[in-house]
Amino acid sequence: AQSVAQPEDQVNVAEGNPLTVKCTYSVSGNPYLFWYVQYPNRGLQFLLKYITGDNLVKGSYGFEAEFNKSQTSFHLKKPSALVSDSALYFCAVRPPSGGYQKVTFGTGTKLQVIP
Amino acid sequence: EPEVTQTPSHQVTQMGQEVILRCVPISNHLYFYWYRQILGQKVEFLVSFYNNEISEKSEIFDDQFSVERPDGSNFTLKIRSTKLEDSAMYFCAGGGGLQETQYFGPGTRLLVL
């Protein structure tokens, strides 16, 4: 069975500082990994994904994530946080085969960027 | 940029009533999904749908739930007899194939009284 762990319920960071939101995963085979962001009363917006290739993937709004196979991690990063980045961030994993395959989400990390 | 749309945005219903949640996926997507998020909890998979049939469903998706794509554009989730514990945000999602990202709609917030 696949699973995702987001060890931090909330991350606070000062505006302009780098941010990291942690994620570790468990899945059979090579994973498909995703980050989504959810703003209050809104749906889930796709940020970025790792399928294969370069371990550092870049996504929307200046976010990037680093895939580390040995540590089974996929941490989300941004060099300089903005107040508008404050939202709920979900890490997600999907098995590599089958388009019908479900995405399994982590419990979410609330990012609070302090002005 | 095309988006997944969902209607209604909010729905309040009485326990035991039937509800139908509607979604219009992105036109070139082939796989369709429903997820739900109970308030304060994580997003949970309900069902996936491909080629006009269910591909996979979770243990949550019992006989009270059904999905269909009646006209090639709308994708609906029906809850036949709602229970209090069905209160949640329901998200529709679509994807294009084996490696494609699933793109989510804005959700329908269902409240069962």
Side-chain angles (χ1 to χ4, degrees), chain A residues 49 75 94-95:
Chain A
K49 66 181 175 184
H75 301 330
R94 218 194 84 182

Side-chain angles (χ1 to χ4, degrees), chain A residues 7-22:
Chain A
E8 303 153 316
D9 290 336
Q10 181 158 337
V11 169
N12 296 321
V13 62
E15 186 177 23
N17 282 2
L19 69 88
T20 299
V21 182
K22 295 179 181 176

Side-chain angles (χ1 to χ4, degrees), chain A residues 4 32 34 36 38 41-46 49 51-52 88 90 94-108, chain B residues 31 33 35 37 40-45 48-50 55-56 58-59 89 91 97-107 109:
Chain A
V4 176
Y32 290 177
F34 306 85
Y36 287 85
Q38 185 179 32
N41 299 314
R42 301 284 296 278
L44 295 161
Q45 295 181 32
F46 167 72
K49 66 181 175 184
I51 303 298
T52 187
L88 190 57
F90 290 95
R94 218 194 84 182
S97 61
Y100 58 87
Q101 292 280 8
K102 66 180 181 182
V103 172
T104 296
F105 287 86
T107 50
Chain B
Y31 297 84
Y33 314 83
Y35 291 79
Q37 184 183 30
Q41 299 185 24
K42 67 177 180 180
V43 179
E44 302 173 290
F45 169 79
S48 59
F49 190 85
Y50 171 69
S55 303
E56 186 180 358
S58 73
E59 61 278 5
M89 179 76 94
F91 293 107
L98 295 179
Q99 293 191 7
E100 286 291 335
T101 304
Q102 292 180 21
Y103 291 93
F104 286 74
R109 186 172 296 282

Side-chain angles (χ1 to χ4, degrees), chain A residues 1-4 24-33 67 69 72 92-97 101-102 104:
Chain A
Q2 59 197 33
S3 65
V4 176
T24 58
Y25 67 89
S26 174
V27 69
S28 299
N30 295 318
Y32 290 177
L33 294 159
F67 170 64
K69 188 172 184 177
T72 61
V93 65
R94 218 194 84 182
S97 61
Q101 292 280 8
K102 66 180 181 182
T104 296

